[in-house]
Amino acid sequence: MTEPLLFELDKKGRRGYALPKLDVPTVDPADHIPTKFLRKQLNMPSLSELETVRHFTRLSRMNHSVDVGFYPLGSCTMKYNPKVNENIARLPGFANIHPHQNANSVQGALKLLKTTEKYLAELTGMDAITLQPAAGAHGELTGLLIIKAYHNKKGNNKKKILIPDSGHGTNPASCTMVGYEVVNIKSDNRGCIDIEDLKANITQDVAGLMITNPNTLGLFDENIGELASLVHSVDGLLYYDGANFNAIMGWTRPGDMGFDVVHLNLHKTFSTPHGGGGPGSGPVGVKAHLKEFLPTPFIIEENNTYSLKNENDDTIGAVLGSLGNFSVIVKALAYMMYNGKEGLKAASAYAVLNANYMMKKLKDTYYVPYDRFCKHEFVISGKTFAKHGVKTLDIAKRLLDFGYHSPTIYFPLIVEEAMMFEPTETESKDTLDGFIDVMEKIAKEAVENSDLLKNAPVTTPVRRLDEATAARKPDINFYRKP
Amino acid sequence: MSTYIPHTSTELQEMLNVIGVKTIDELFAEIPNNLRLNKDLDIPCGMSELEMTRELTSLSEINKTVDKNVCFLGGGAYDHIIPAAIDHLLLRGDFFTAYTPYQPEVSQGTLQCIYEYQSLICSLTGMDQTNASLYEGATANVEAIKMAEAQTGRKKVILLDTINPAYRKVIKTINGAQDTEIITLSFEDGVCDVTKLARAIDDKTAAVIVQYPNFFGCLEDIENIAKMAHEAGALCIVCANPIALAILEAPGNLGADIVTGEGQPLGVPLSFGGPYIGFLAAKKALLRKMPGRIVGKTLDIDGKQGFVLTLQAREQHIRREKAGSNICSNQALVALNTTIYMSLMGAEGLKEVALHCFQKAHYMKSELAKIEKLTVPFTSSFFHEMVIKVPNADSVLKRMEEKGIFAGIALEKYYPNLKDCILLAVTEKRTKSEIDDYCKYLGEALK
């Protein structure tokens, strides 16, 4: 199955859409625009509407997706994306409003944003929320800018952010973007932050500690109270990476654990679709002492009327050209309203149940480096298959042949040949059992006929791809061949 | 319990037995008691799909929409025609419920769409390469500045103040925090003041950033600005409107090194500001400095054509603190939205959209010129957006809104010296009668 490129379907003279007839007198751009600014040539394929529809429909069938099957990608929370939320986001009153309309003409939208802020503040135990950041990494950047603004205002001379070696790659990259040096903190044999290593690195120039809890091994760090005190003792701030928030919703709150800044991923915990890699939304929550640093504009509520406050003395400024990824936020609020307080807590409960069930069942065949209750995800290692010449990559590829998406692989970095599974609460026991059977079958194949793994996948639209040539001679633009 | 959780009570029991616990609560045992949330969340109880839909529908109906009103607002987001086929394709679960194409063998749909998106954006901008997209227009410029700094080893950038004020604010926040020296130059007759620019550019300048057409709708001489930048060893970043590029010369042919912009005009709903899509395209020499995902074409082991994420050695998940950017995702579904739009329109359709915008805007300008007490402060060529000046602009805008017309953006809050000035945009979606009504009501409001 190969789908031609759009450009190969081009037939000059075809049209996929017709505009209404022009109803004003025509003027020639050449009479108004200097010749050097007039376009000489535009390459773009011409297709009919049906050809366009078929092209993209055929391409869609070459994707694995949550709607098609199990997607246990760790730290990505591939839960069901409720269909009704798509309808809500497309209501004309939400989809067809312009960002520059006066506040009095968008009271419904502002109320929706304010309500979302309130719910997220309650869920995280924070005092104020900004919905501006467009993704998780963008939330991290925003949170770190707030931390920096706090220290600058106090005249603190801070240089470093501490990050455990199990942290997401975006954490250190975000620190660099705001000019902080990154210090990696070791994990202990329980998979949590090594308190001794942390103590050794707690110095006056520490601006903060950036962690997920549960961490990327899916393990809850029960020392979080002590960690928070240590960091606060040098006036450092605690940053909560909310990528793993689906593990604890309604059970404990970052604000109660001592965190000062939090980001959430609405496209993970709050069920908004991942869209093939975006758009997401990464709201940031802060405690009261950091509220003044939040990006502007703020949404102000007075007597049930909503307005925007554009300026504020200590604000970091703005991190997006608008108030946020509005229609993503609409879907997240719809999800929270539908589930309600008990449904949100249940989501985390069953996410944790599913992960522990899977881990327990897989423990007989696979090596589990941290053998304790996990939260919403867990990590196993493929290293025991090395003697058969089988790598984690091969196991991941073989899973594709059975119609499953692979787990996250080779992450976190601290586990050799890592495979990280996050089943989410929306998967049934039947689905998990089917998947576990296949994992056991693959383990057997690895020993008895490892070629099945090394040659996998064979049932997918394409087989293993030549990534080395792709990087050496990049063909990334149809119109400019390498 | 919400219906999104499929477990029966029997299954729950079986699963607890396998794990070896009596209740789910035991799985949360390591959370210290003092950190447990020992109360109900202060969030309402769950509701049915029907109740939730009714509640949110009523909330949506409080908003005044661009369907029930007539929209002449622009300033970075535009009310263009969106072909119906687009949303049907976007709503295919295979697209919107997939994630980042980490396993390319089962993500060829997403990957090929991104390759097509990249090619179309390159064609539109006249550049060699682009990435898989960024959050939106403002942050695309933030990333372009970082690229220019990395390429030149310099930390000073020159922004013309004819660039969207919202973009400048974001640049100040993010690039400013990375110690970029930001020089903002004031305009002359709605465009770049070349004398001031010549004085500001020096051998410490990493880039000059110019918008095309600019925030006022005026056409900047990007060729000359690029030349001035290059003479000082700086790069020229052009922030372009993608619809305008169907009739305006590609910035790549006028000397731009990086072309950025907001992709919303390419068939993306207004949605109160997002999600939109930032594009960023560059000349070949800048390839390894480009942030974000990039998709490349390759072959599989059977020699069949396929696509992969490529050049990942630049990215945060490999380089961590040494990465040039923390960008992790892209706006894949919005990129797909714009790709389907461009596919439906084709070169001819896109040109026609741009021409209709241009012609309707010029018709409107000639009609507005007939109104007494109205002046047009800038004389430069324009595309589909223009500035007008009327006495008491704020109250005029209010009166126009009562007539069902979103008549434009009051500029004074962004430019204190542009008191009573209004920025208005005319797209292909506006009709002659809507334009005539605008002029009629405006004339009445000024009497």
Side-chain angles (χ1 to χ4, degrees):
Chain A
M1 185 162 54
T2 304
E3 173 61 19
L5 287 161
L6 262 187
F7 319 100
E8 294 159 351
L9 298 168
D10 175 28
K11 192 73 119 345
K12 285 290 162 261
R14 281 203 184 128
R15 287 291 290 271
Y17 193 79
L19 294 183
K21 202 166 174 306
L22 188 68
D23 57 358
V24 298
T26 53
V27 287
D28 187 351
D31 295 339
H32 295 265
I33 292 176
T35 317
K36 71 170 177 177
F37 294 123
L38 287 173
R39 183 117 198 177
K40 316 297 180 292
Q41 196 197 355
L42 177 63
N43 287 324
M44 207 162 270
S46 303
L47 284 82
S48 69
E49 180 172 333
L50 176 59
E51 286 166 315
T52 299
V53 168
R54 283 198 179 138
H55 173 69
F56 290 102
T57 302
R58 287 190 298 245
L59 282 177
S60 76
R61 295 169 68 186
M62 295 159 81
N63 271 358
H64 185 83
S65 67
V66 174
D67 279 6
V68 168
F70 190 38
Y71 213 130
L73 200 60
S75 269
C76 297
T77 315
M78 300 303 289
K79 61 169 77 176
Y80 175 59
N81 308 134
K83 300 295 176 195
V84 63
N85 298 349
E86 298 301 313
N87 293 357
I88 305 278
R90 286 165 170 81
L91 289 167
F94 291 143
N96 301 332
I97 50 178
H98 192 285
H100 277 296
Q101 280 179 229
N102 290 324
N104 63 27
S105 73
V106 287
Q107 287 293 299
L110 295 176
K111 184 177 180 182
L112 181 141
L113 293 173
K114 199 73 206 174
T115 307
T116 308
E117 285 182 10
K118 281 184 196 162
Y119 288 6
L120 296 180
E122 170 66 10
L123 278 163
T124 53
M126 306 308 274
D127 297 308
I129 300 277
T130 174
L131 299 171
Q132 233 178 70
H138 199 214
E140 290 177 17
L141 174 66
T142 307
L144 287 161
L145 287 169
I146 291 169
I147 290 174
K148 194 173 183 183
Y150 165 85
H151 289 309
N152 283 350
K153 190 176 183 197
K154 287 188 84 176
N156 289 347
N157 183 21
K158 303 286 195 180
K159 293 194 180 70
K160 299 173 185 161
I161 297 275
L162 312 179
I163 298 178
D165 52 12
S166 60
H168 294 114
T170 48
N171 294 173
S174 300
C175 289
T176 302
M177 276 185 75
V178 300
Y180 280 127
E181 184 191 323
V182 173
V183 179
N184 283 303
I185 303 296
K186 285 187 214 131
S187 301
D188 64 17
N189 56 10
R190 282 176 53 76
C192 293
I193 290 181
D194 184 330
I195 290 254
E196 293 312 314
D197 193 38
L198 181 73
K199 281 182 186 159
N201 282 289
I202 287 283
T203 49
Q204 287 301 325
D205 59 357
V206 167
L209 170 69
M210 194 172 190
I211 55 173
T212 57
N213 196 19
N215 63 18
T216 58
L217 296 162
L219 304 174
F220 189 86
D221 202 320
E222 58 265 70
N223 299 322
I224 183 62
E226 191 184 346
L227 300 177
S229 310
L230 277 169
V231 175
H232 286 150
S233 72
V234 291
D235 201 17
L237 297 175
L238 244 74
Y239 184 97
Y240 183 88
D241 174 341
N244 293 347
F245 193 64
N246 204 45
I248 57 163
M249 193 164 41
W251 292 84
T252 178
R253 307 190 298 179
D256 300 337
M257 292 183 224
F259 286 91
D260 305 284
V261 187
V262 171
H263 90 255
L264 295 170
N265 301 70
L266 299 187
H267 46 286
K268 294 181 181 175
T269 312
F270 298 93
S271 84
T272 72
H274 284 75
S281 174
V284 167
V286 294
K287 287 279 182 61
H289 61 284
L290 299 174
K291 198 172 162 181
E292 293 306 300
F293 303 108
L294 284 173
T296 52
F298 300 156
I299 302 165
I300 307 287
E301 179 187 2
E302 266 170 339
N303 308 320
N304 216 17
T305 302
Y306 299 83
S307 58
L308 294 174
K309 188 182 175 204
N310 282 300
E311 295 307 325
N312 195 50
D313 287 348
D314 290 327
T315 176
I316 58 166
V319 293
L320 201 74
S322 71
L323 294 174
N325 277 348
F326 180 72
S327 78
V328 178
I329 296 164
V330 172
K331 294 173 202 180
L333 180 64
Y335 176 79
M336 288 191 275
M337 288 171 67
Y338 178 79
N339 280 284
K341 56 184 165 193
E342 70 286 10
L344 295 172
K345 187 175 179 185
S348 284
Y350 282 81
V352 170
L353 174 80
N354 277 359
N356 277 287
Y357 177 76
M358 260 179 80
M359 183 173 76
K360 182 75 192 253
K361 287 276 210 170
L362 288 177
K363 210 157 66 178
D364 297 336
T365 14
Y366 290 88
Y367 174 61
V368 176
Y370 299 96
D371 189 7
R372 47 183 277 210
F373 288 144
C374 63
K375 290 275 104 35
H376 67 311
E377 67 186 1
F378 61 94
V379 175
I380 63 181
S381 167
K383 71 174 181 184
T384 48
F385 297 98
K387 54 181 174 285
H388 306 287
V390 167
K391 300 192 194 71
T392 276
L393 182 72
D394 303 318
I395 298 170
K397 296 300 181 197
R398 185 66 176 144
L399 274 169
L400 305 178
D401 277 334
F402 291 94
Y404 295 110
H405 198 278
S406 320
T408 297
I409 51 173
Y410 299 107
F411 189 82
L413 308 173
I414 57 172
V415 173
E416 216 182 315
E417 295 289 315
M419 280 181 258
M420 180 200 231
F421 297 85
E422 181 181 5
T424 85
E425 72 281 4
T426 59
E427 298 298 338
S428 69
K429 178 172 177 291
D430 298 334
T431 301
L432 303 185
D433 286 340
F435 181 79
I436 291 159
D437 285 349
V438 165
M439 284 294 289
E440 286 167 358
K441 190 177 156 71
I442 292 174
K444 203 175 282 177
E445 287 176 355
V447 178
E448 292 166 3
N449 186 3
S450 62
D451 281 351
L452 285 173
L453 278 69
K454 289 176 210 161
N455 294 328
V458 293
T459 64
T460 46
V462 292
R463 297 183 59 204
R464 288 196 204 191
L465 291 142
D466 182 355
E467 298 189 14
T469 308
R472 206 170 51 244
K473 286 192 224 156
D475 176 357
I476 58 179
N477 170 8
F478 174 81
Y479 295 105
R480 302 269 165 95
K481 290 292 162 195
Chain B
M1 196 168 78
S2 117
T3 53
Y4 301 146
I5 297 171
H7 304 62
T8 65
S9 50
T10 320
E11 285 171 334
L12 169 63
Q13 204 46 59
E14 285 167 9
M15 293 171 81
L16 290 172
N17 290 346
V18 167
I19 300 169
V21 292
K22 290 202 169 55
T23 62
I24 292 182
D25 274 52
E26 289 178 44
L27 299 173
F28 288 88
E30 79 261 70
I31 300 179
N33 225 339
N34 61 330
L35 301 184
R36 288 270 200 126
L37 185 66
N38 292 315
K39 62 161 189 124
D40 275 359
L41 288 163
D42 184 15
I43 288 174
C45 291
M47 54 179 87
S48 68
E49 182 178 294
L50 179 67
E51 291 161 316
M52 183 265 283
T53 303
R54 278 185 181 147
E55 199 170 308
L56 286 173
T57 303
S58 340
L59 197 60
S60 78
E61 285 167 351
I62 301 171
N63 298 323
K64 290 189 185 171
T65 65
V66 299
D67 317 319
K68 298 270 175 69
N69 297 267
V70 185
C71 181
F72 288 89
L73 299 171
Y78 301 90
D79 183 28
H80 287 290
I81 294 172
I82 303 177
I86 295 177
D87 208 34
H88 286 269
L89 292 166
L90 294 181
L91 274 170
R92 288 189 64 82
D94 319 74
F95 281 133
F96 85 84
T97 75
Y99 192 35
T100 300
Y102 288 129
Q103 296 294 337
E105 297 88 345
V106 291
S107 311
Q108 286 299 301
T110 295
L111 286 162
Q112 184 169 334
C113 289
I114 294 175
Y115 178 87
E116 292 174 354
Y117 161 85
Q118 289 174 180
S119 305
L120 292 168
I121 291 294
C122 288
S123 172
L124 204 52
T125 55
M127 302 306 269
D128 299 318
Q129 71 228 352
T130 179
N131 63 17
S133 73
L134 297 164
Y135 307 134
E136 38 83 86
T139 46
N141 285 293
V142 167
E143 295 293 336
I145 290 172
K146 286 194 292 172
M147 280 172 72
E149 290 176 345
Q151 183 75 4
T152 59
R154 304 172 179 181
K155 286 294 276 184
K156 171 176 157 179
V157 297
I158 298 172
L159 297 185
L160 305 182
D161 74 348
T162 53
I163 291 170
N164 192 328
Y167 296 5
R168 283 187 280 126
K169 198 171 167 189
V170 175
I171 290 168
K172 189 174 161 229
T173 304
I174 303 178
N175 300 103
Q178 296 171 58
D179 303 323
T180 299
E181 185 192 348
I182 300 165
I183 311 286
T184 309
L185 293 187
S186 55
F187 60 84
E188 182 64 43
D189 190 20
V191 292
C192 170
D193 182 332
V194 181
T195 326
K196 276 189 208 147
L197 180 61
R199 275 203 302 268
I201 298 185
D202 58 21
D203 59 4
K204 294 190 176 57
T205 307
V208 180
I209 310 172
V210 52
Q211 198 174 334
Y212 176 71
N214 70 23
F215 186 67
F216 303 134
C218 300
L219 219 52
E220 301 272 8
D221 187 347
I222 57 171
E223 190 180 43
N224 188 35
I225 293 169
K227 201 168 138 248
M228 290 168 75
H230 293 160
E231 278 165 7
L235 303 188
C236 178
I237 300 171
V238 175
C239 174
N241 178 322
I243 294 286
L245 292 186
I247 56 168
L248 295 184
E249 182 58 290
N253 296 338
L254 293 169
D257 300 284
I258 304 175
V259 184
T260 61
E262 173 52 66
Q264 180 276 334
L266 299 169
V268 180
L270 288 166
S271 293
F272 200 41
Y276 292 169
I277 176 171
F279 60 85
L280 184 157
K283 288 280 169 68
K284 200 170 181 183
L286 292 157
L287 177 60
R288 313 263 160 190
K289 300 284 188 309
M290 209 151 59
R293 293 179 183 153
I294 300 173
V295 169
K297 189 155 149 279
T298 187
L299 299 174
D300 78 356
I301 53 169
D302 296 333
K304 200 185 211 180
Q305 167 184 299
F307 300 85
V308 289
L309 292 175
T310 192
L311 302 166
Q312 297 191 68
R314 303 162 295 115
E315 293 184 66
Q316 47 76 30
H317 61 283
I318 311 267
R319 286 180 65 78
R320 295 178 75 86
E321 65 267 23
K322 292 187 191 69
S325 166
N326 73 339
I327 295 283
C328 173
S329 56
N330 67 331
Q331 297 286 96
L333 199 68
V334 192
L336 175 62
N337 182 333
T338 63
T339 306
I340 300 169
Y341 176 84
M342 287 186 271
S343 169
L344 286 168
M345 289 299 176
E348 290 313 306
L350 203 64
K351 256 186 248 171
E352 201 171 280
V353 170
L355 275 174
H356 284 205
C357 291
F358 180 86
Q359 284 158 339
K360 286 175 175 178
H362 283 73
Y363 168 72
M364 184 155 181
K365 190 182 174 193
S366 64
E367 292 301 299
L368 287 168
K370 297 173 187 165
I371 299 174
E372 254 184 85
K373 296 187 195 164
L374 181 148
T375 52
V376 179
F378 306 135
T379 59
S380 323
S381 310
F382 69 106
F383 171 57
H384 74 334
E385 215 163 2
M386 70 190 105
V387 177
I388 57 171
K389 186 172 182 181
V390 295
N392 305 314
D394 285 335
S395 72
V396 167
L397 285 174
K398 212 170 277 173
R399 287 184 61 183
M400 296 289 280
E401 195 177 314
E402 285 160 16
K403 299 283 184 191
I405 298 173
F406 299 151
I409 301 167
L411 288 178
E412 193 184 354
K413 71 172 167 178
Y414 306 112
Y415 301 89
N417 57 346
L418 292 182
K419 187 171 163 22
D420 285 332
C421 287
I422 294 170
L423 175 69
L424 64 98
V426 193
T427 68
E428 81 288 3
K429 203 169 160 185
R430 299 286 70 83
T431 63
K432 178 172 180 295
S433 82
E434 288 169 349
I435 295 169
D436 292 343
D437 281 351
Y438 184 110
C439 297
K440 187 179 105 191
Y441 292 132
L442 185 63
E444 285 171 11
L446 291 178
K447 266 182 191 147

